C-alpha cells in the first residue's frame, strides 16, 4: 500500500480548487430571483452543459471509486451498467425526451400528473425524495468520506461525512442548478483527464502490454457475460434487471432528468443526452481498467473501493496528485449538490406550489435553500449505514432493484400505452413499492433468503407490468386530454420526420442516435 500523504503543494491545490468551486456557486447564485432560475437554471442550458452535467453528477466521484473497486473485485462485468445506459439514453433521446420538454414540466412527477392524476405525482415525488436522500446523497457523502479518511485516517468517518455534506450543501444553497451545471462542465473533462492519467501511469508499470490486463483480471473477470448462477451479475440479469435499472436512473429519476429539463430546446436536450451516452463508453478504460491493473500493484486491498485512491497515491506525482484529489472531491460535491437541488425542486414544485397557500418567488427561493439544508442533514445522518455493504455499487443497485420497478413500469406504460389508467398506476405504485422495500430488507439486509437482486428486480418488474395491465382492463379508459401530448404514436414519429428533412446529418438526432447504438454494440462484442 502507498503512503496516503499529501505534500504542502497538494494541500494548496486542493484548497484553491475547492475555494474556486464555492466561489463560482456564490457568483452564479447572487442573481437568482425566482425558484425556476434557482432550481431549473432558467431553462437556458446548451447541450454541452447538459451532457457534461449528466456525466459529472451521475458518474462522478462516488461511481469512479465504485467502478474501479468493482473492476478490482469483479472485473469487466461492472461495465454492463454503463454500456447498457448508453443504449437506454438512445431510447430516451429518440422516444421519450420530447414529451418531457414539450409539456414544460418542472419535475418528472409532474409529467405523471399530466398523464395520470395527482396521486401518481405525489407518490412518485415522495419516493424520489426518499431515494435521493438515502441512496444518492448518502452514497456521495460516504464515497467522499472514504477518500478523505485515506488522507486523514485518524479522523472519524462521520467527521469526513459532515465536511463533505457542508461543502456540497453550501455550494448548491448559494448557486442552484446553474452553478452545478457550470462547474460540472469544468469537472467532467478534469475527471476524464484524471482517469486517463492514472490509466497511462499504471499501465506503464506493465510496459503497456495488453496481455497483462486479462491476466490480472479476477477469475472469469475478462468478460461482460457471467453464468446464470453468478452472485454478482449473471447474464440473464442484464435483461431482468440491469436494463430496467438504467431506465430508472436515466429516464424516471428526477435528479438526473432535471439536467435535461433545463435545456434551452428539445434539440439541445437530445444532443446532451446522446453526448452523455457516448461518454459512458470510455469509463471502461478510464476507471475499470485501472481497477484491474491495481490487482497487479496491490495484491490484497482491505476494501475494493480503495483501488482508485491507492492508484492516485502510488503513481501520480506531487502537485498533480493534489489536482486529481481536488477534482475527485469536487465531483463528489457535484453528485451531492445535484441530488440536494433535485430534492428541493420536487418538494417546491410538487407539494408547495400546488398547495392552496400562495407564496411569492422570493419566499419559494428561501424555502428551496432551507430544504437543501434539511436534506443535507438527513443524508449525512444515514451515510454511515452504507458501511454494512461490501461495495458502494452493491448498495446502490440492490436497493434500487427492489423498489423502483413500479415507477419504471408506470412511466413507460403511460407513454407507450394509451389505455393505461390512473387507477392502475396508483395501485401499481401503492401496492408494490412497500413490498419492494420489504423484499430489500428480507433478501439483502437481513439475508433471510437467497435471491440475486437482479432476478428480484425482474420479479418486481413482471409483477408491476401484470398489475398495471390487469387493473387497467378492469377500469375506465383515460380521457382524451390525458393521452394527447403525453403518449407516443406513429403520427409523432412521422411529424418529426418532416421536421428533420431539412436538417444536416450532424444535427439530425436520429442519425446520431443510430450511430451511437451501432458503435456501442461494436465496442461491447469483443468482451462477450
Amino acid at each position: 500500500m502507498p503512503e496516503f500523504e499529501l505534500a504542502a503543494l497538494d494541500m494548496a491545490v486542493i484548497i484553491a480548487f475547492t475555494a474556486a468551486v464555492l466561489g463560482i456557486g456564490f457568483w452564479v447564485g447572487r442573481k437568482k430571483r425566482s425558484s425556476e432560475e434557482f432550481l431549473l437554471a432558467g431553462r437556458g442550458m446548451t447541450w454541452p452543459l447538459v451532457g457534461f452535467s449528466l456525466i459529472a453528477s451521475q458518474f462522478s466521484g462516488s461511481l469512479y471509486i465504485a467502478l474501479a473497486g468493482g473492476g478490482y473485485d469483479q472485473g469487466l462485468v461492472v461495465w454492463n451498467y454503463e454500456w447498457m445506459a448508453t443504449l437506454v439514453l438512445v431510447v430516451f433521446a429518440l422516444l421519450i425526451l420530447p414529451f418531457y420538454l414539450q409539456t414544460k414540466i418542472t419535475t418528472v412527477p409532474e409529467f405523471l400528473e399530466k398523464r395520470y392524476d395527482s396521486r401518481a405525482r405525489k407518490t412518485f415525488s415522495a419516493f424520489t425524495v426518499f431515494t435521493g436522500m438515502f441512496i444518492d446523497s448518502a452514497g456521495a457523502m460516504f464515497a467522499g468520506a472514504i477518500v478523505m479518511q485515506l488522507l486523514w485516517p485518524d479522523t472519524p468517518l462521520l467527521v469526513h461525512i459532515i465536511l463533505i455534506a457542508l461543502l456540497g450543501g453550501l455550494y448548491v444553497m448559494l448557486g442552484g442548478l446553474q452553478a452545478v451545471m457550470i462547474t460540472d462542465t469544468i469537472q467532467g473533462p478534469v475527471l476524464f483527464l484524471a482517469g486517463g492519467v492514472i490509466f497511462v501511469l499504471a499501465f506503464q508499470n506493465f510496459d503497456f502490454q495488453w496481455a497483462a490486463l486479462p491476466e490480472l483480471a479476477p477469475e472469469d473477470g475478462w468478460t461482460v457475460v457471467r453464468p446464470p448462477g453468478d452472485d454478482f451479475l449473471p447474464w440473464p440479469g442484464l435483461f431482468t434487471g440491469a436494463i430496467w435499472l438504467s431506465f430508472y436512473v436515466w429516464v424516471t429519476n428526477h435528479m438526473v432528468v432535471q439536467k435535461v429539463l433545463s435545456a434551452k430546446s428539445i434539440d439541445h436536450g437530445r444532443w446532451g443526452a446522446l453526448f452523455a451516452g457516448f461518454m459512458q463508453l470510455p469509463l471502461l478504460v478510464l476507471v475499470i481498467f485501472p481497477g484491474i491493473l491495481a490487482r497487479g500493484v496491490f495484491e490484497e486491498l482491505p476494501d475494493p473501493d480503495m483501488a482508485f485512491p491507492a492508484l492516485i497515491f502510488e503513481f501520480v506525482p506531487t502537485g498533480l496528485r493534489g489536482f486529481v484529489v481536488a477534482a475527485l472531491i469536487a465531483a463528489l460535491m457535484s453528485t451531492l449538490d445535484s441530488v440536494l437541488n433535485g430534492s428541493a425542486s420536487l418538494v417546491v414544485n410538487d407539494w408547495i406550489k400546488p398547495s392552496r397557500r400562495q407564496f411569492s418567488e422570493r419566499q419559494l427561493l428561501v424555502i428551496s435553500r432551507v430544504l437543501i439544508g434539511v436534506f443535507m442533514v438527513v443524508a449525512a445522518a444515514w451515510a454511515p449505514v452504507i458501511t454494512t455493504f461490501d461495495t458502494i455499487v452493491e448498495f446502490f443497485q440492490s436497493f434500487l432493484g427492489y423498489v423502483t420497478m413500479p415507477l419504471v413500469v408506470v412511466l413507460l406504460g403511460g407513454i407507450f400505452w394509451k389505455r393505461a389508467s390512473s387507477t392502475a398506476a396508483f395501485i401499481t405504485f401503492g401496492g408494490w413499492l412497500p413490498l419492494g422495500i420489504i423484499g430489500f430488507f428480507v433478501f439483502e439486509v437481513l439475508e433471510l433468503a437467497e435471491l440475486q437482486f437482479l432476478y428480484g428486480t425482474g420479479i418486481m418488474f413482471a409483477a408491476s407490468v401484470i398489475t398495471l395491465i390487469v387493473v387497467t382492463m378492469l377500469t375506465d379508459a383515460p380521457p382524451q386530454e390525458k393521452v394527447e401530448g403525453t403518449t407516443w404514436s406513429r403520427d409523432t414519429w412521422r411529424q418529426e420526420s418532416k421536421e428533420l428533412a431539412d436538417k444536416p446529418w450532424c444535427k439530425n438526432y436520429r442519425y446520431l442516435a443510430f450511430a451511437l447504438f451501432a458503435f456501442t454494440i461494436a465496442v461491447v462484442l469483443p468482451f462477450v
Side-chain angles (χ1 to χ4, degrees):
M1 289 292 293
E3 293 292 331
F4 293 100
E5 295 181 355
L6 290 170
L9 178 59
D10 294 320
M11 290 299 302
V13 170
I14 292 173
I15 293 171
F17 197 103
T18 305
V21 170
L22 292 175
I24 291 173
F26 176 77
W27 181 258
V28 173
R30 77 194 193 286
K31 294 183 178 180
K32 296 294 178 288
R33 295 293 181 266
S34 70
S35 58
E36 182 167 293
E37 286 183 342
F38 184 77
L39 298 172
L40 281 178
R43 297 186 189 268
M45 298 294 100
T46 56
W47 69 265
L49 290 166
V50 173
F52 272 122
S53 190
L54 284 171
I55 287 294
S57 60
Q58 185 61 26
F59 287 100
S60 60
S62 59
L63 285 192
Y64 250 64
I65 293 173
L67 288 175
Y72 182 94
D73 191 45
Q74 299 290 336
L76 298 183
V77 70
V78 296
W79 187 47
N80 281 315
Y81 291 110
E82 318 323 319
W83 69 261
M84 294 200 81
T86 301
L87 302 184
V88 168
L89 280 166
V90 168
V91 174
F92 178 53
L94 283 173
L95 304 176
I96 300 173
L97 181 150
F99 295 110
Y100 286 171
L101 293 182
Q102 71 191 13
T103 52
K104 297 295 183 181
I105 58 172
T106 55
T107 66
V108 176
E110 184 182 354
F111 178 82
L112 288 185
E113 182 174 28
K114 291 179 179 293
R115 174 59 182 86
Y116 293 113
D117 58 21
S118 60
R119 296 177 300 175
R121 179 180 186 175
K122 299 293 187 184
T123 305
F124 200 168
S125 179
F127 174 80
T128 306
V129 172
F130 176 83
T131 55
M133 291 304 94
F134 294 100
I135 301 295
D136 300 321
S137 291
M141 292 180 188
F142 178 67
I146 288 177
V147 176
M148 297 182 72
Q149 194 166 47
L150 291 174
L151 305 178
W152 297 280
D154 296 331
T155 305
L157 183 69
L158 183 59
V159 174
H160 294 307
I161 290 173
I162 292 172
L163 182 59
I164 288 289
L166 289 174
L167 288 174
L170 177 63
Y171 170 63
V172 73
M173 287 173 70
L174 293 172
L177 184 62
Q178 184 179 5
V180 172
M181 295 183 71
I182 289 174
T183 53
D184 283 350
T185 306
I186 298 171
Q187 293 162 11
V190 170
L191 278 172
F192 275 73
L193 178 62
V197 167
I198 291 172
F199 170 69
V200 170
L201 294 176
F203 203 18
Q204 185 180 27
N205 196 56
F206 299 93
D207 298 323
F208 297 108
Q209 295 295 315
W210 177 257
L213 278 163
E215 290 177 3
L216 291 171
E219 185 178 358
D220 297 326
W222 194 247
T223 177
V224 294
V225 178
R226 288 284 188 88
D230 186 71
D231 291 335
F232 185 76
L233 209 167
W235 74 260
L238 295 176
F239 305 100
T240 64
I243 189 169
W244 306 116
L245 282 168
S246 287
F247 269 102
Y248 168 72
V249 170
W250 298 103
V251 178
T252 70
N253 184 1
H254 175 73
M255 312 309 177
V256 174
V257 176
Q258 67 173 339
K259 309 299 180 64
V260 178
L261 297 181
S262 71
K264 64 186 300 183
S265 68
I266 292 177
D267 277 341
H268 279 276
R270 275 176 160 149
W271 297 335
L274 291 174
F275 179 63
F278 174 75
M279 297 300 282
Q280 311 286 340
L281 303 178
L283 292 174
L284 173 66
V285 175
L286 301 179
V287 187
I288 298 173
F289 278 0
I292 294 174
L293 290 172
R295 296 176 60 87
V297 182
F298 315 109
E299 292 185 2
E300 188 173 347
L301 290 175
D303 182 351
D305 289 329
M306 293 175 63
F308 198 77
L311 288 171
I312 294 174
F313 284 87
E314 179 72 16
F315 293 108
V316 180
T318 300
L320 184 58
R321 178 185 301 169
F323 184 71
V324 172
V325 172
L328 191 60
I329 293 175
L332 291 162
M333 290 165 51
S334 174
T335 303
L336 175 61
D337 52 37
S338 295
V339 178
L340 293 176
N341 185 86
S343 299
S345 174
L346 289 167
V347 174
V348 168
N349 290 301
D350 292 333
W351 298 88
I352 295 177
K353 283 187 176 181
S355 65
R356 294 181 179 180
R357 181 178 175 183
Q358 298 298 311
F359 294 89
S360 68
E361 283 299 324
R362 184 176 180 81
Q363 289 174 319
L364 290 172
L365 194 58
V366 172
I367 291 171
S368 299
R369 286 175 165 145
V370 170
L371 285 169
I372 288 170
V374 172
F375 293 147
M376 175 184 68
V377 173
V378 172
W382 173 256
V385 177
I386 304 177
T387 58
T388 61
F389 293 83
D390 293 337
T391 66
I392 301 173
V393 167
E394 180 183 353
F395 171 76
F396 279 0
Q397 304 297 342
S398 60
F399 181 81
L400 295 178
Y402 280 98
V403 301
T404 59
M405 291 306 100
L407 312 177
V408 173
V409 168
V410 167
L411 182 67
L412 296 182
I415 293 175
F416 295 107
W417 188 29
K418 292 184 177 181
R419 183 65 175 80
S421 69
S422 58
T423 300
F426 180 71
I427 290 177
T428 303
F429 274 149
W432 288 108
L433 277 178
L435 290 177
I437 294 173
I438 292 172
F440 168 72
F441 278 96
V442 169
F443 294 110
E444 300 296 325
V445 178
L446 302 177
E447 297 182 346
L448 299 179
E450 188 172 327
L451 178 67
Q452 213 286 333
F453 82 91
L454 291 175
Y455 293 146
T457 302
I459 293 171
M460 287 295 298
F461 181 83
S464 299
V465 169
I466 293 170
T467 303
L468 184 70
I469 292 174
V470 170
V471 178
T472 289
M473 301 312 296
L474 295 175
T475 54
D476 295 333
Q480 183 62 27
E481 61 266 20
K482 283 294 183 182
V483 298
E484 189 172 340
T486 59
T487 55
W488 188 89
S489 67
R490 291 181 181 178
D491 291 337
T492 305
W493 186 266
R494 295 190 189 102
Q495 180 61 36
E496 289 183 349
S497 297
K498 294 178 182 178
E499 296 171 357
L500 291 170
D502 298 329
K503 285 193 173 184
W505 70 268
C506 59
K507 292 186 177 181
N508 188 320
Y509 74 89
R510 288 184 185 171
Y511 288 137
L512 299 175
F514 290 134
L516 179 58
F517 181 90
F519 180 69
T520 302
I521 299 302
V523 171
V524 173
L525 283 178
F527 301 104
V528 172

